[in-house]
Amino acid sequence: MLYSTIVQRNEIGFYQMYLAAREFEELNVLEAIIVCKFNKKKVEQTLNLVRMYQARLNIESMDLVEFSDNFIEEYATDYNECFRVAEMLVRRIGTTITGSMKIFRKFCPVVRRKLDSVGNIVPTLDYSRLTFRQFYGQMFGVEVYINLVKTLLHELATFFYHLLSVLALCKDMIRKEEDVRGDYKRLKAIFEKSCDELLHNVRKVNELFGHVQLVSDKELEERRKNARPMSEWLPKDYHAHDRQWLMREGYLRRIMSGRQFGLDDMASNLWARNPEWGRHICALITIFDTLGIPFKNSKKAKEQKKKGTFDARDMAYFLKYGAVSYLSEDGKTVIDEVNEKQLYLYLQNHYRGDYCFPSWQAVCGERRYCANEGITMKEMSECFAKYVPHQDLATEISLSIKGESPLRSTSSI
């Protein structure tokens, strides 16, 4: 008779292994030693096998814990294109599963039959004496190598304790994935966060080369015509694609959303969570010279034949006022400071007025000063808000909607 050590690469396989590992008891081992007619050499071989796979289990379990901390909070990973979560977990702890099945196989009774049909191949977990609940009343023969058996019992108990922990973690990840899939608000937050992390690369491209159009108008129009509601595809595509797909998907969605508010591609990516606020800032940039922001005479301004240089502290205030922000679920405004440099670069690239901007180092120095003085982000934002002429700005926004304000860039790759 042959014993199959193949484990199904799905939730059922994990569940079967978990139940089998949970059945471990010392009496099972002692009974199996007698039924399987272990001698001292075979006990030693089994002990070495258990120790070897215990070491590998420790390594894979550490990797699994690290993987589990990030997996649920990532909308896509590099492996999702090929494997479902259960298959992915099987591959991540493949050595542990193989070793576990070999250990179970060691305690299967030897039955000699003619191997001429598939019927002679049976599941290991169904026949391993470690999963049995029937014991002999007397354990004669074990006392000959009792110390070695005690060591084996201890090592097996340690192995199955850790195995149960790993399998429980796998089951928990599968359950959590299903829970997230059914929670639209949380799933959307994970999608946005994952896009933010991946699309930093796009911001770096724009930082190096200025605004570039990474997607053609034709492709965007085709996408707009075939657009599906987010609630329809978001749960289905969770952990179904790789990061490259997510980067492109997130970028397309942001550009489409931004263009509805008259934003160019760079602005659409900057204000992805709040394109309406992006439109507000873009309109503000077009009338920057009229805001009454203090300036000073400088050598830099004379060289560039400008009227003066804007004050660095007011620029720091502007970055807090216009930083990429959005409303959280509890209604609070969230400011993403990571994007302040991109916002500063966007301002420099799109400003067409008669003044110079202070250096980024000078602006950062003022930011540090404000932080040391205990000035909050909200207070800095309010300091700039006093310059904003709301009536004039409303007019600019109205013009931008009609396409009469130069808020969109026409440059391309």
Side-chain angles (χ1 to χ4, degrees):
M1 179 183 295
L2 291 177
Y3 295 100
S4 172
T5 57
I6 297 175
V7 175
Q8 295 185 63
R9 297 174 180 269
N10 53 28
E11 295 87 342
I12 296 175
F14 279 117
Y15 186 69
Q16 289 174 336
M17 282 200 67
Y18 182 83
L19 291 180
R22 198 174 60 178
E23 295 294 318
F24 172 80
E25 288 187 10
E26 291 187 350
L27 285 177
N28 292 62
V29 182
L30 296 175
E31 192 267 351
I33 288 174
I34 294 174
V35 172
C36 298
K37 299 178 181 180
F38 275 36
N39 53 27
K40 184 176 181 179
K41 181 179 179 181
K42 194 166 184 179
V43 173
E44 289 178 339
Q45 290 176 341
T46 305
L47 177 58
N48 290 331
L49 181 71
V50 173
R51 284 173 171 170
M52 178 178 70
Y53 282 110
Q54 173 65 53
R56 296 182 181 181
L57 187 154
N58 291 339
I59 295 173
E60 289 187 334
S61 64
M62 289 188 291
D63 178 62
L64 182 64
V65 169
E66 182 181 357
F67 174 74
S68 66
D69 289 340
N70 301 321
F71 179 71
I72 298 300
E73 297 301 321
E74 292 181 334
Y75 190 83
T77 72
D78 288 336
Y79 311 101
N80 290 137
E81 194 73 28
C82 305
F83 312 113
R84 294 185 59 196
V85 59
E87 295 175 296
M88 194 184 310
L89 292 172
V90 169
R91 288 175 176 273
R92 296 194 79 87
I93 60 169
T95 303
T96 292
I97 290 177
T98 299
S100 303
M101 296 304 293
K102 286 183 178 180
I103 291 172
F104 279 114
R105 172 68 180 81
K106 275 286 185 181
F107 293 95
C108 288
V110 177
V111 179
R112 303 190 183 281
R113 295 179 182 175
K114 187 176 181 181
L115 304 178
D116 56 357
S117 68
V118 179
N120 286 301
I121 303 177
V122 297
T124 292
L125 295 179
D126 290 348
Y127 286 84
S128 177
R129 305 303 297 188
L130 294 183
T131 62
F132 276 37
R133 286 292 186 176
Q134 299 175 358
F135 310 115
Y136 285 122
Q138 297 177 338
M139 297 292 180
F140 297 115
V142 177
E143 66 277 2
V144 177
Y145 39 91
I146 192 66
N147 289 331
L148 193 59
V149 171
K150 284 182 178 179
T151 304
L152 176 60
L153 290 174
H154 174 73
E155 296 291 345
L156 279 170
T158 302
F159 177 84
F160 280 109
Y161 173 80
H162 290 152
L163 177 62
L164 280 173
S165 299
V166 168
L167 293 175
L169 180 58
C170 291
K171 289 175 58 184
D172 189 52
M173 287 180 65
I174 294 172
R175 179 188 61 79
K176 283 182 178 179
E177 189 197 42
E178 287 303 312
D179 290 344
V180 171
R181 203 184 298 275
D183 187 343
Y184 179 74
K185 286 185 177 180
R186 185 181 177 191
L187 191 57
K188 187 176 179 181
I190 290 174
F191 176 82
E192 295 289 357
K193 180 183 175 184
S194 297
C195 287
D196 284 342
E197 293 172 353
L198 290 174
L199 291 175
H200 275 299
N201 293 329
V202 176
R203 294 179 185 136
K204 289 179 181 178
V205 169
N206 284 315
E207 180 180 339
L208 291 172
F209 302 107
H211 171 71
V212 293
Q213 187 175 348
L214 301 178
V215 180
S216 67
D217 291 336
K218 181 179 179 181
E219 183 176 359
L220 283 170
E221 180 61 23
E222 186 69 24
R223 179 62 182 271
R224 187 188 63 80
K225 291 179 180 179
N226 300 319
R228 295 179 295 160
M230 196 171 187
S231 57
E232 179 182 316
W233 60 264
L234 195 65
K236 181 181 178 182
D237 288 341
Y238 177 50
H239 286 164
H241 301 281
D242 59 16
R243 288 189 179 96
Q244 192 67 31
W245 173 90
L246 179 59
M247 180 182 291
R248 185 165 185 79
E249 179 68 25
Y251 187 77
L252 282 168
R253 290 190 60 80
R254 291 183 175 192
I255 300 306
M256 291 171 63
S257 176
R259 290 195 176 187
Q260 294 178 8
F261 292 87
L263 303 182
D264 61 24
D265 293 1
M266 186 178 181
S268 298
N269 193 35
L270 273 173
W271 289 281
R273 305 281 192 97
N274 196 341
E276 188 171 4
W277 183 252
R279 180 177 64 182
H280 170 85
I281 300 301
C282 288
L284 193 64
I285 291 173
T286 64
I287 57 171
F288 217 70
D289 281 3
T290 68
L291 300 182
I293 303 172
F295 65 89
K296 60 183 179 180
N297 295 321
S298 65
K299 183 179 179 180
K300 179 181 179 181
K302 290 181 180 179
E303 291 175 350
Q304 297 183 15
K305 298 181 179 181
K306 297 288 187 178
K307 293 181 179 180
T309 302
F310 286 119
D311 182 74
R313 187 172 301 178
D314 283 300
M315 287 298 99
Y317 292 162
F318 169 76
L319 295 183
K320 293 300 181 185
Y321 178 82
V324 181
S325 58
Y326 60 95
L327 291 178
S328 62
E329 291 184 5
D330 56 3
K332 294 181 179 179
T333 300
V334 179
I335 297 178
D336 184 359
E337 289 191 88
V338 175
N339 297 323
E340 286 191 13
K341 187 173 183 180
Q342 277 73 35
L343 173 55
Y344 189 69
L345 291 170
Y346 185 85
L347 173 62
Q348 288 183 314
N349 290 336
H350 292 75
Y351 172 73
R352 299 291 183 268
D354 297 323
Y355 297 88
C356 296
F357 291 98
S359 67
W360 174 246
Q361 290 76 10
V363 175
C364 290
E366 293 298 332
R367 291 168 65 200
R368 286 193 296 270
Y369 170 82
C370 292
N372 293 335
E373 292 296 315
I375 303 175
T376 65
M377 290 187 292
K378 182 179 179 182
E379 290 170 339
M380 292 177 69
S381 177
E382 290 173 349
C383 284
F384 187 84
K386 66 185 180 183
Y387 294 121
V388 179
H390 295 284
Q391 186 61 42
D392 292 342
L393 189 59
T395 302
E396 286 294 329
I397 291 176
S398 177
L399 291 173
S400 72
I401 295 175
K402 298 176 182 178
E404 299 174 20
S405 186
L407 300 184
R408 293 183 58 179
S409 173
T410 57
S411 59
S412 60
I413 295 178

